[in-house]
Amino acid sequence: MLSRVSTRAPVFFYSFYSRVGTAMDKKTPSIGSLYFLPFAPTTMMHGWNANNHNQCIISRGFAKKKGGKAGKQGAAAGPDGRDGDTAAPEAAEGADLEQVDQKMGRYIQALDKDLRTLRAGRADPAMFDHLQVDAYGQSAPLSAVADVAPRGPQLLVVNVYDPQLKGAVDTAIRECGMGLNPQALEGGALSVPVPKTSKEKREKLARMAKQQGEKTKQNVRNARRSAIDETKKAGLPEDESKRLVKEIDALCDAKLKAVSDLIDGKQKELLNASSS
């Protein structure tokens, strides 16, 4: 029996081992203990116990394809026959107009906030639009904790919703840098006299407004320059690059006009305010 088996080549044999006993003691081998011999010479079969002939199996091995099932489920090939997982080059893009618009807009918002602190000696509730109050351990705008109303050309009255915050509102007004001195009224109210300003003072404030406007315009121009540089370095087609640069220029012109309008309006307010 063994001689007949050994003459049929190639024949595959496997053996298995036990951690405790000797080889061939275990009747149910585990897959991890298989050893395949592609060719078994007849001399290796001498001494084989016929009682163990049932442990000799003639089998055919089937090799799994590398990658198995997962390989079939991989990325599909591209139209050029290459693997689908090959990263495609990113499309060239220029500056994001929306981001440029927002950046320029923030400069203008900051300017508007600063201009509101330049008072012309006339009581205007907008003077306090930028004020922050320490309310309940957090910073809150004055408009969230109080109402401000004019009571004549030189007087503002602040009605605090919660009388417990009256002291915090008083401190915020005193420390706002406008030289104001609130006076306590009954309940949660404060009166805020607004001192008159001389002509010389108002002219000085008008010059300050212009300086702040020029600084804002420079910031807007810098944002324009950065956006154009980014667009030119993006490697866009010439026509597309020119179109995007033109849109950036138009956006910049609109923002510069908005700055000029703010400055002109503030200067008129300052210079035309009555000093009497």
Side-chain angles (χ1 to χ4, degrees):
M1 175 67 177
L2 293 175
S3 62
R4 286 201 304 270
V5 173
S6 62
T7 58
R8 296 178 182 179
V11 180
F12 296 83
F13 298 90
Y14 70 86
S15 63
F16 56 91
Y17 63 90
S18 171
R19 295 183 180 177
V20 179
T22 60
M24 301 301 176
D25 287 342
K26 193 182 292 185
K27 293 185 178 180
T28 306
S30 62
I31 294 176
S33 62
L34 296 180
Y35 293 84
F36 290 93
L37 303 176
F39 297 95
T42 304
T43 54
M44 295 181 63
M45 301 306 299
H46 294 319
W48 186 270
N49 190 338
N51 293 331
N52 293 327
H53 69 278
N54 59 337
Q55 296 178 0
C56 175
I57 302 175
I58 300 175
S59 62
R60 178 181 179 185
F62 294 90
K64 281 189 176 182
K65 292 183 179 180
K66 188 175 180 180
K69 187 176 181 181
K72 296 180 180 180
Q73 296 176 351
D80 57 354
R82 299 181 181 179
D83 292 342
D85 58 354
T86 302
E90 294 184 0
E93 295 182 1
D96 187 324
L97 288 178
E98 183 177 355
Q99 292 182 1
V100 176
D101 184 22
Q102 292 176 355
K103 185 176 183 180
M104 293 179 177
R106 286 194 292 270
Y107 292 134
I108 297 177
Q109 291 175 1
L111 172 65
D112 183 55
K113 181 178 178 181
D114 291 339
L115 292 179
R116 291 178 185 275
T117 65
L118 302 179
R119 55 187 179 83
R122 181 177 296 173
D124 184 359
M127 295 167 56
F128 297 152
D129 285 352
H130 69 288
L131 283 190
Q132 296 289 316
V133 179
D134 184 9
Y136 312 109
Q138 296 181 350
S139 180
L142 178 63
S143 59
V145 299
D147 174 70
V148 183
R151 291 293 186 270
Q154 310 300 143
L155 181 65
L156 292 173
V157 175
V158 180
N159 293 299
V160 184
Y161 303 139
D162 184 354
Q164 295 181 355
L165 297 177
K166 187 175 181 179
V169 172
D170 182 286
T171 301
I173 295 175
R174 290 180 185 276
E175 296 179 354
C176 70
M178 288 188 260
L180 302 177
N181 295 298
Q183 299 175 3
L185 300 177
E186 294 183 359
L190 293 169
S191 66
V192 184
V194 180
K196 295 180 180 180
T197 56
S198 63
K199 181 179 179 181
E200 292 76 13
K201 176 68 173 178
R202 288 184 278 112
E203 289 177 348
K204 181 179 179 180
L205 293 175
R207 289 193 296 269
M208 290 176 59
K210 184 176 181 180
Q211 292 174 357
Q212 291 177 353
E214 291 301 323
K215 182 179 179 180
T216 301
K217 287 182 177 180
Q218 187 59 46
N219 290 334
V220 171
R221 293 189 184 102
N222 290 340
R224 168 191 172 275
R225 185 180 302 110
S226 297
I228 291 178
D229 290 344
E230 180 181 353
T231 299
K232 290 182 177 180
K233 293 178 181 178
L236 295 171
E238 184 177 358
D239 292 345
E240 179 67 14
S241 179
K242 288 182 178 180
R243 181 193 64 79
L244 190 54
V245 169
K246 186 176 181 180
E247 291 183 2
I248 294 172
D249 285 338
L251 180 61
C252 179
D253 292 341
K255 298 300 182 183
L256 292 177
K257 184 178 184 306
V259 173
S260 297
D261 291 344
L262 276 176
I263 298 305
D264 291 345
K266 190 63 179 182
Q267 286 184 320
K268 289 179 181 180
E269 173 190 330
L270 293 170
L271 297 176
N272 295 335
S274 175
S275 59
S276 58

